[in-house]
Amino acid sequence: QVQLVESGGGSVQAGGSLRLSCEAFGSTYYYNCMGWFRQAPGKEREGVAAITTSGVNTYYGTSVKGRFTISQDNAKNTVYLQMNSLKPEDTAMYYCAAGRCMGYSSLGRTHDYNYWGQGTQVTVSS
């Protein structure tokens, strides 16, 4: 019922910036939060940032606080992830997700999201 299309990944040197975009197609009835998750080779998928569609709550993973910013344009059904001061350890496949989150504590949990994009690769070189 919801399709997510990511864009904006790429390769950048450490200290650089990238902005990821995720456009949602389908009814907003099916989700009240959108988030970005990432998965590096050999590691579990982890929550990077998330936001409720109301804009009231945002979540950031510990390792990205102060460097990444999530925002949304509800008129375009699009969520953005501005990534600054990128580090080699930020290298991963980044996935956009949408779901029905139950409170702030669920924003960063993968199992609260049931719609996922295909992913976009972010590579940061030292």
Side-chain angles (χ1 to χ4, degrees), residues 61-105:
T62 303
S63 62
V64 307
K65 282 181 181 177
R67 299 188 298 123
F68 291 10
T69 303
I70 191 168
S71 61
Q72 62 188 354
D73 184 338
N74 286 338
K76 296 181 180 180
N77 289 333
T78 299
V79 65
Y80 306 96
L81 184 67
Q82 178 66 43
M83 305 185 293
N84 298 329
S85 302
L86 282 161
K87 304 175 181 180
E89 50 264 43
D90 294 317
T91 295
M93 185 71 79
Y94 283 70
Y95 297 91
C96 176
R100 295 199 65 83
C101 297
M102 304 297 288
Y104 173 81
S105 61

Side-chain angles (χ1 to χ4, degrees), residues 11 14-15 20 31-32 37 43 48 52 58-59 64 75-76 83 95-96 101 113:
S11 298
L20 306 183
Y31 61 94
N32 65 0
F37 294 78
K43 294 189 176 181
V48 176
T52 52
T58 56
Y59 160 89
V64 307
K76 296 181 180 180
M83 305 185 293
Y95 297 91
C96 176
C101 297
Y113 293 80

Side-chain angles (χ1 to χ4, degrees), residues 1-7 21-31 34 73-79 96-98 115-117:
Q1 297 98 333
V2 178
Q3 288 188 315
L4 303 173
V5 179
E6 304 116 327
S7 61
S21 300
C22 173
E23 185 174 4
F25 296 90
S27 174
T28 58
Y29 169 81
Y30 296 104
Y31 61 94
M34 293 185 73
D73 184 338
N74 286 338
K76 296 181 180 180
N77 289 333
T78 299
V79 65
C96 176
Y115 301 102
W116 293 84

